[in-house]
Amino acid sequence: MKTKGLLIRMALKENLVDWYIKNVIIPNFVKYDSPGFVVTEQTSKFGYTFQRDIFLSENFITDLENKFVEKYGDQGKIFLYGVGKNFGWNYGKSFNMPTIQANSNKDVIEMAQFLASFVGSTWADRSEITKMELNFKSFEIQFTDYVVCSKNGLGYLLNEGGIAGLWAWLMADFSIEGIQIKCQGRKENGCRTLCAPSKSLKEKQLPYVSFYDKIESNSATDEYLTFNKIRPTQFSNTTIKKLIANNIVTYSNGKMEYNKERYLPLGIDFLFLLESQAKKIPKGSDLLFETACIHGKRIAKKEEELTPAFISDFMAFQGWGDLLITPNLNELAITYYPWHELFDQCEKEIFLGLLSGFVSIYKKKEIKLRIASSSLSEGFVRFNLEEAQ
């Protein structure tokens, strides 16, 4: 390790699956054993963290990026990158991650190494920090088989934007931007991402995206902790932990897969940022719903026997809450839906689109669901759903 100039070059040589089991599963850092809930929780020297997560399919995020770029061009790229950057920034905040402004260089370096291992064990096959210069606020990391961008060559949400936002948090500087200087999805050798102040990227003549609209939320409020608290479910007892234990969901080389679909855990900041910001683009919310609906149909078509019980179990393992669904759809409700500060700014297009796709295939006709009524009065979220006329 070269400390002069705080230049660090390191490879994460430890087997990432072993690292994930030792550092994440065994200490119960992520809780995959509560039906309807996916939670990340820890207490460290930096404080207590509780974060509600959901599992989303890589194919859904890939399709989302493709469709927004295809339909909106540069506006779509900026939207995706901005959501990703704010997601990364809020991820750093929610976990009380040490910033260079208030903590030692050693703490920041150790956190960057932990994050590289964590991301590498859940979103990639391999990760390697190739450069870290704290005095220049510069960071470079390389991945193999990184989610989304290795498939579509874009990666605005979880690579360029997400990594830039996270590094910006550690550097206490939201003006930091990120750019993929190599991408496996563009037929290059792995995905390599550089994060640095915009001035530095400009000097290198790199075509980075500038995004300054910071949206900062708080996952440590009493409301967040109360509304997202794990509670017993009534309609499903399915969890991702059970599915992995029974080899229904596989985990290998940083990938969780069910029925040839790869799933990844994401803090609900990602969900609510997507939905709240899509409203700022003409018909952006419609495109979110349509993409989720198509994705729901694709998953449903793969099932040999699509039943209401399966749909309820699927929503439970993804972390959406407890779904009541009767065969004739005369009762359809979700209890313990995730809550966030941006809750009132969102129309829940992703959940509604996904479920609409499922019931459309189940009933063999096109169905678009909407929220008929909602309740937050008992300290949790409940929606009653119905078919839109």
Side-chain angles (χ1 to χ4, degrees), residues 26-87:
I26 292 176
N28 212 21
F29 175 52
V30 290
K31 299 184 187 302
Y32 292 163
D33 54 358
S34 297
F37 296 84
V38 180
V39 165
T40 306
E41 186 175 21
Q42 72 163 358
T43 299
S44 71
K45 65 180 181 179
F46 304 112
Y48 170 74
T49 291
F50 177 94
Q51 178 182 273
R52 181 89 180 262
D53 300 338
I54 53 169
F55 275 94
L56 290 177
S57 162
E58 177 187 30
N59 284 333
F60 167 68
I61 301 172
T62 301
D63 291 347
L64 200 63
E65 287 197 335
N66 290 342
K67 289 177 183 296
F68 269 87
V69 171
E70 180 182 347
K71 184 169 183 176
Y72 299 106
D74 286 344
Q75 184 184 20
K77 294 177 185 178
I78 293 169
F79 157 71
L80 295 165
Y81 177 82
V83 167
K85 186 176 178 182
N86 273 303
F87 171 62

Side-chain angles (χ1 to χ4, degrees), residues 65-187:
E65 287 197 335
N66 290 342
K67 289 177 183 296
F68 269 87
V69 171
E70 180 182 347
K71 184 169 183 176
Y72 299 106
D74 286 344
Q75 184 184 20
K77 294 177 185 178
I78 293 169
F79 157 71
L80 295 165
Y81 177 82
V83 167
K85 186 176 178 182
N86 273 303
F87 171 62
W89 179 270
N90 281 284
Y91 192 90
K93 179 183 178 181
S94 69
F95 281 94
N96 305 297
M97 291 180 183
T99 68
I100 200 69
Q101 190 177 62
N103 298 271
S104 69
N105 290 345
K106 180 175 180 291
D107 283 339
V108 173
I109 290 167
E110 287 178 351
M111 180 55 67
Q113 291 172 313
F114 176 87
L115 289 168
S117 293
F118 184 70
V119 171
S121 62
T122 53
W123 291 2
D125 179 44
R126 183 173 180 271
S127 59
E128 178 185 351
I129 297 175
T130 53
K131 185 171 67 173
M132 191 180 344
E133 296 176 295
L134 301 192
N135 53 338
F136 294 115
K137 299 183 179 180
S138 179
F139 176 82
E140 189 174 291
I141 189 166
Q142 180 160 312
F143 300 99
T144 303
D145 291 337
Y146 192 79
V147 292
V148 182
C149 64
S150 62
K151 299 187 70 171
N152 67 3
L154 301 177
Y156 297 113
L157 283 165
L158 298 181
N159 193 316
E160 288 188 351
I163 296 172
L166 196 47
W167 181 247
W169 173 265
L170 295 176
M171 294 296 99
D173 184 356
F174 193 75
S175 69
I176 284 173
E177 308 293 0
I179 183 171
Q180 282 196 88
I181 53 179
K182 287 186 177 180
C183 182
Q184 193 172 340
R186 299 195 293 260
K187 310 302 180 185

Side-chain angles (χ1 to χ4, degrees), residues 349-363:
E349 295 92 351
I350 294 174
F351 168 75
L352 289 172
L354 182 65
L355 187 55
S356 295
F358 270 105
V359 297
S360 293
I361 299 302
Y362 169 63
K363 299 299 287 185

